[in-house]
Amino acid sequence: MQDTSHNLNNKRIAILSPVAWRTPPRAYGAWETVASNITEGLVARGWKNVTLFATKDSITNARLIGWIEKGYEEDKSQVPPVSTCLHISKMMEMAGEFDLIHNNFDYLPLTYLRLIKTPMLTTIHGFSEPDILRVYHEHKDSYYVSISDSDRDPGLPYLATVYNGIDLSNLTFREKTGGKLVHYGRIHNDKGTHLAIEIAKKCGMDLIIAGIIQDQKYFDELIRPHLNQSSIQYVGPVNQAQRDALLEEAYAVIHLNLIPERFGLVMAESMAAGVPVIAMDLGSCREVIADKQTGFLVKSVDEAVEAVGKIDQIDRKKCRKRVEENFTIDKMVENYEKVYAEIFRREAQKK
Amino acid sequence: MQDTSHNLNNKRIAILSPVAWRTPPRAYGAWETVASNITEGLVARGWKNVTLFATKDSITNARLIGWIEKGYEEDKSQVPPVSTCLHISKMMEMAGEFDLIHNNFDYLPLTYLRLIKTPMLTTIHGFSEPDILRVYHEHKDSYYVSISDSDRDPGLPYLATVYNGIDLSNLTFREKTGGKLVHYGRIHNDKGTHLAIEIAKKCGMDLIIAGIIQDQKYFDELIRPHLNQSSIQYVGPVNQAQRDALLEEAYAVIHLNLIPERFGLVMAESMAAGVPVIAMDLGSCREVIADKQTGFLVKSVDEAVEAVGKIDQIDRKKCRKRVEENFTIDKMVENYEKVYAEIFRREAQKK
């Protein structure tokens, strides 16, 4: 066993991150965050040959290789598909130097797969459009991981679900309850920011909203008219330190997503800080939240208002513990190690 | 010499067409038109192993291979980048079966090039955005053809300029002059449709406009207000038979492009029908039109109005002759044969 593990740690792993943002991102950038966490987690667990393929300004304890100076979301002179195909193809040209490619950058890398010999694991962080399934279905002989049991395409052979892990060092657990409702993440109809406002008003509680505005029209029409300097505030995007301060003020995090959540980093982060989450029972929410233990799964604004009244029943230590046991970077990487081992076992059988 | 030519005709050629439209397109689809003309032209000149990679509903006398049922512009359920990368990558997986790939589908195919052994010639039909040059510059060791001397990037090594060839069988030469001004092609500010209207009004002549509306706002604001059922008419997109009928009515074709023309099929088609062209002296226009011989190169609306007054000085037979000598499919394919031969010569030297 020791020997196998030792050999596994020596395998040459390429982690392919997106190039929309720096890895790790300065603020928003969910896939880059996960790619960074996997990379740093592997290094922390003793993997010796890990290479991160990301923008050239990325930061890592692994080897960094990149061709794109900055994320295309941070440098609007770039045409995103151009940066994307250059980044991916130049990584593929180096495929022979690796034992495994771990793709965190959507469907395009799969289209190079039959031209290289290195096996590839794709973590499907999301199906941006149903039509991208055409590419996945064309490559059913490849390896896939889902980020929740709920976010699976029935036509694809998955090796496992590996939940995203979060960096607990940036999330201070506090037993003391804050006094406000908090809603943060992307400001978009999908995330139900307008429902958080409705809930705060019905409860007569203050609400702090944070995050990048992903749909300006939605923000201008449904959010901005409700903002003021006191009870309903929007504070813009938050970095990790600001997020920690934000969660200190939180009585509960309101997360009434209107489309199925794929994983839900916000929920895990909130619980890590000891903050219960009231979430719509859609998609992966019931996998992340333990209903009535670390928050409440609801089906409507009224149920959410009712749940706010029951927040004092939640033991904040249980919130933190659920994350420590299921959603840490170390746990995620441990699970990926099992997946990698399974891929190497299957690849060895092919030979 | 005969032997070399015989060997050349036996080479296995893959013509990669776009999958935006059927090849050949039903109406609009400039790159698909050229890809079709190259394919059919090679077959007509005795090439025995030509394969067209295009949508599955495409029509060819060569072998047809495709994976995309219909062009993504004709089937809006498709996400264009998905169809694009599937089409290209599946062609690349078959690269070993060909001696040469002739890419007519933009920059993405280049990113697969270092993973295959077959040489590739790319005809650059246009630089949709300056940023796509990053991909071309990354692959300066590949082979390029420009479609006019003016449409060249100074940083790229071109083997030749090969002008587009058009199918003369669909363009009836008529010595008799029509009575109207004609403007056709994409209805877009770049093509100066609004200037054609201005010229017609200043000349007191009727104008027929035809073509697909590529910018609806432009059409609604700058074109539609001037339309009526008599002097300024818009007749929609035209197929080949309708185009032939349209040119029969033409006294001259007005083509006051506002950005450099890359090649300008419309100018060649018009001249083939014997119709002189009044064109903006930008980009390739002076390569296609022989100034004062087959039309007039102008720099303004006023110069164009003046040119309309001199159209009777143009010998319509010279218009036709210029096309027959320079812009036929046979001439284009003959030029491509020379380029192919040069590529095979260079590839043989590498071995």
Side-chain angles (χ1 to χ4, degrees):
Chain A
M1 263 310 261
Q2 279 300 96
D3 269 345
T4 314
S5 162
H6 178 76
N7 286 340
L8 200 59
N9 285 1
N10 277 331
K11 293 284 191 185
R12 299 162 304 168
I13 309 293
I15 306 289
L16 182 60
S17 186
V19 288
W21 307 95
R22 190 188 74 178
T23 300
R26 290 172 176 82
Y28 181 73
W31 299 5
E32 287 85 352
T33 299
V34 179
S36 174
N37 287 341
I38 294 169
T39 305
E40 306 316 308
L42 287 167
V43 172
R45 288 175 66 90
W47 287 68
K48 294 169 193 70
N49 289 299
V50 182
T51 304
L52 173 67
F53 289 85
T55 59
K56 287 176 86 166
D57 63 351
S58 292
I59 299 167
T60 179
N61 289 314
R63 179 169 66 140
L64 174 67
I65 298 184
W67 299 272
I68 310 302
E69 297 289 335
K70 282 163 171 256
Y72 54 74
E73 295 287 357
E74 302 176 71
D75 167 19
K76 293 297 184 183
S77 74
Q78 296 173 48
V79 172
V82 170
S83 297
T84 298
C85 75
L86 276 175
H87 175 65
I88 291 169
S89 65
K90 292 189 70 66
M91 194 264 109
M92 292 297 166
E93 289 167 13
M94 296 180 65
E97 299 175 29
F98 300 95
D99 299 306
L100 178 67
I101 299 165
H102 184 169
N103 167 32
N104 290 277
F105 197 10
D106 222 357
Y107 64 89
L108 189 60
L110 289 157
T111 68
Y112 298 82
L113 206 46
R114 298 219 175 90
L115 306 175
I116 63 170
K117 294 197 178 78
T118 311
M120 185 163 83
L121 168 66
T122 297
T123 296
I124 303 180
H125 292 288
F127 298 103
S128 56
E129 309 241 18
D131 193 43
I132 72 174
L133 279 168
R134 273 196 289 156
V135 180
Y136 292 119
H137 287 177
E138 190 63 46
H139 294 274
K140 285 187 184 176
D141 53 343
S142 188
Y143 300 109
Y144 297 99
V145 150
S146 54
I147 58 168
S148 67
D149 290 341
S150 83
D151 196 41
R152 284 193 166 199
D153 168 62
L156 277 183
Y158 293 91
L159 283 177
T161 285
V162 177
Y163 294 120
N164 290 330
I166 59 173
D167 182 359
L168 293 189
S169 68
N170 298 301
L171 289 155
T172 313
F173 171 70
R174 295 183 182 90
E175 274 199 75
K176 191 168 171 294
T177 297
K180 297 178 176 180
L181 298 180
V182 165
H183 172 89
Y184 79 99
R186 295 185 285 123
I187 311 299
H188 190 284
N189 186 63
D190 291 348
K191 297 293 186 182
T193 308
H194 59 297
L195 300 183
I197 293 172
E198 199 180 331
I199 291 161
K201 288 186 172 176
K202 285 195 174 174
C203 294
M205 287 183 76
D206 288 353
L207 172 70
I208 310 178
I209 300 166
I212 65 162
I213 296 169
Q214 206 174 44
D215 182 338
Q216 190 66 48
K217 189 164 177 284
Y218 169 76
F219 181 81
D220 291 343
E221 290 177 6
L222 289 174
I223 308 303
R224 197 195 292 279
H226 299 283
L227 300 180
N228 52 50
Q229 295 306 311
S230 53
S231 62
I232 314 270
Q233 280 185 64
Y234 170 63
V235 297
V238 286
N239 62 22
Q240 290 182 341
Q242 290 164 330
R243 182 188 62 195
D244 203 40
L246 178 73
L247 289 171
E248 186 173 9
E249 297 196 63
Y251 183 70
V253 161
I254 307 294
H255 191 86
L256 263 60
N257 48 301
L258 290 171
I259 60 165
E261 198 58 63
R262 299 182 183 288
F263 171 72
L265 279 172
V266 161
M267 296 186 285
E269 290 166 0
S270 304
M271 293 191 303
V275 180
V277 180
I278 296 168
M280 198 71 95
D281 189 8
L282 263 178
S284 63
C285 295
R286 58 170 51 244
E287 296 175 58
V288 179
I289 294 168
D291 192 26
K292 301 183 182 68
Q293 300 287 315
T294 70
F296 294 96
L297 295 167
V298 301
K299 292 198 158 66
S300 66
V301 165
D302 286 343
E303 282 186 30
V305 171
E306 201 180 315
V308 172
K310 294 187 287 185
I311 284 293
D312 56 3
Q313 296 171 15
I314 302 289
D315 177 355
R316 289 170 71 99
K317 284 198 213 82
K318 274 194 187 163
C319 295
R320 175 76 177 193
K321 194 158 172 250
R322 181 162 180 83
V323 177
E324 285 172 348
E325 288 176 355
N326 297 283
F327 308 120
T328 63
I329 293 173
D330 198 58
K331 186 75 194 172
M332 171 178 69
V333 176
E334 188 189 323
N335 286 330
Y336 273 121
E337 284 175 345
K338 288 178 195 155
V339 173
Y340 292 178
E342 174 64 14
I343 292 171
F344 291 127
R345 195 186 63 76
R346 293 193 190 190
E347 290 293 312
Q349 277 182 342
K350 284 185 194 168
K351 282 162 194 167
Chain B
M1 262 312 260
Q2 280 297 98
D3 269 348
T4 313
S5 163
H6 178 77
N7 286 340
L8 200 60
N9 285 2
N10 277 330
K11 294 283 191 185
R12 300 162 301 169
I13 309 292
I15 306 289
L16 182 60
S17 186
V19 287
W21 308 94
R22 188 189 76 177
T23 300
R26 288 173 176 82
Y28 180 73
W31 298 6
E32 286 86 351
T33 299
V34 179
S36 174
N37 287 341
I38 294 169
T39 306
E40 305 317 309
L42 286 168
V43 172
R45 287 175 67 89
W47 288 67
K48 293 169 193 72
N49 289 298
V50 181
T51 305
L52 173 66
F53 288 86
T55 59
K56 289 177 83 165
D57 61 352
S58 292
I59 298 165
T60 180
N61 290 314
R63 178 170 66 140
L64 174 67
I65 299 185
W67 300 272
I68 309 303
E69 297 289 334
K70 283 163 170 255
Y72 54 74
E73 294 288 356
E74 302 176 71
D75 167 19
K76 292 297 186 182
S77 73
Q78 296 174 47
V79 172
V82 170
S83 297
T84 298
C85 75
L86 276 176
H87 175 64
I88 292 170
S89 65
K90 290 186 74 67
M91 194 264 109
M92 293 297 165
E93 290 167 13
M94 294 179 66
E97 299 175 29
F98 300 95
D99 299 307
L100 178 66
I101 299 164
H102 185 170
N103 168 32
N104 290 278
F105 197 10
D106 220 358
Y107 65 88
L108 190 60
L110 289 157
T111 69
Y112 297 81
L113 205 46
R114 298 221 174 91
L115 306 175
I116 64 171
K117 293 196 177 78
T118 310
M120 185 162 84
L121 168 66
T122 298
T123 296
I124 303 182
H125 292 287
F127 298 103
S128 56
E129 310 240 17
D131 193 44
I132 72 175
L133 278 167
R134 273 196 288 158
V135 180
Y136 292 120
H137 287 178
E138 189 63 46
H139 294 275
K140 286 187 183 174
D141 53 343
S142 189
Y143 300 109
Y144 297 99
V145 151
S146 54
I147 58 167
S148 67
D149 291 340
S150 82
D151 197 41
R152 283 193 166 197
D153 169 63
L156 278 183
Y158 293 90
L159 284 178
T161 285
V162 177
Y163 294 121
N164 290 329
I166 58 173
D167 183 358
L168 294 189
S169 68
N170 299 302
L171 288 155
T172 312
F173 171 71
R174 294 183 181 90
E175 275 198 75
K176 190 168 172 293
T177 296
K180 296 180 176 180
L181 298 179
V182 165
H183 171 90
Y184 79 99
R186 297 184 284 122
I187 310 299
H188 189 284
N189 186 63
D190 291 348
K191 297 293 185 182
T193 307
H194 60 296
L195 300 182
I197 293 172
E198 200 179 330
I199 292 161
K201 287 186 173 177
K202 287 195 172 174
C203 294
M205 289 185 74
D206 289 352
L207 173 69
I208 310 179
I209 300 166
I212 65 161
I213 296 168
Q214 206 172 43
D215 182 338
Q216 190 65 47
K217 188 163 174 286
Y218 169 77
F219 181 81
D220 291 342
E221 290 178 6
L222 289 173
I223 307 305
R224 196 196 294 279
H226 300 282
L227 299 180
N228 52 49
Q229 295 307 309
S230 53
S231 61
I232 314 270
Q233 281 185 62
Y234 170 63
V235 298
V238 287
N239 62 23
Q240 291 182 340
Q242 290 164 331
R243 182 189 60 195
D244 203 39
L246 178 72
L247 289 170
E248 187 172 8
E249 298 196 63
Y251 182 69
V253 161
I254 306 294
H255 190 85
L256 262 62
N257 48 302
L258 290 171
I259 61 166
E261 198 59 60
R262 300 181 183 288
F263 171 71
L265 278 173
V266 161
M267 297 185 285
E269 290 165 2
S270 303
M271 293 190 305
V275 180
V277 180
I278 297 169
M280 197 71 95
D281 189 8
L282 262 179
S284 63
C285 294
R286 59 170 49 243
E287 296 174 58
V288 179
I289 294 168
D291 192 26
K292 302 183 183 65
Q293 299 289 314
T294 69
F296 294 94
L297 294 166
V298 300
K299 291 199 158 69
S300 66
V301 165
D302 285 344
E303 283 186 30
V305 171
E306 201 179 315
V308 172
K310 296 187 287 186
I311 284 292
D312 56 4
Q313 296 170 15
I314 302 289
D315 178 356
R316 290 170 70 97
K317 285 199 214 80
K318 276 197 186 159
C319 296
R320 176 75 177 194
K321 193 157 171 250
R322 181 161 180 84
V323 177
E324 284 172 349
E325 288 175 356
N326 298 283
F327 308 120
T328 63
I329 292 172
D330 200 56
K331 186 75 195 169
M332 170 178 71
V333 176
E334 187 188 324
N335 286 330
Y336 273 121
E337 284 175 345
K338 290 177 193 155
V339 173
Y340 293 178
E342 175 64 15
I343 292 172
F344 291 128
R345 197 187 62 77
R346 294 194 190 190
E347 289 293 312
Q349 278 183 342
K350 284 185 194 169
K351 282 162 194 166

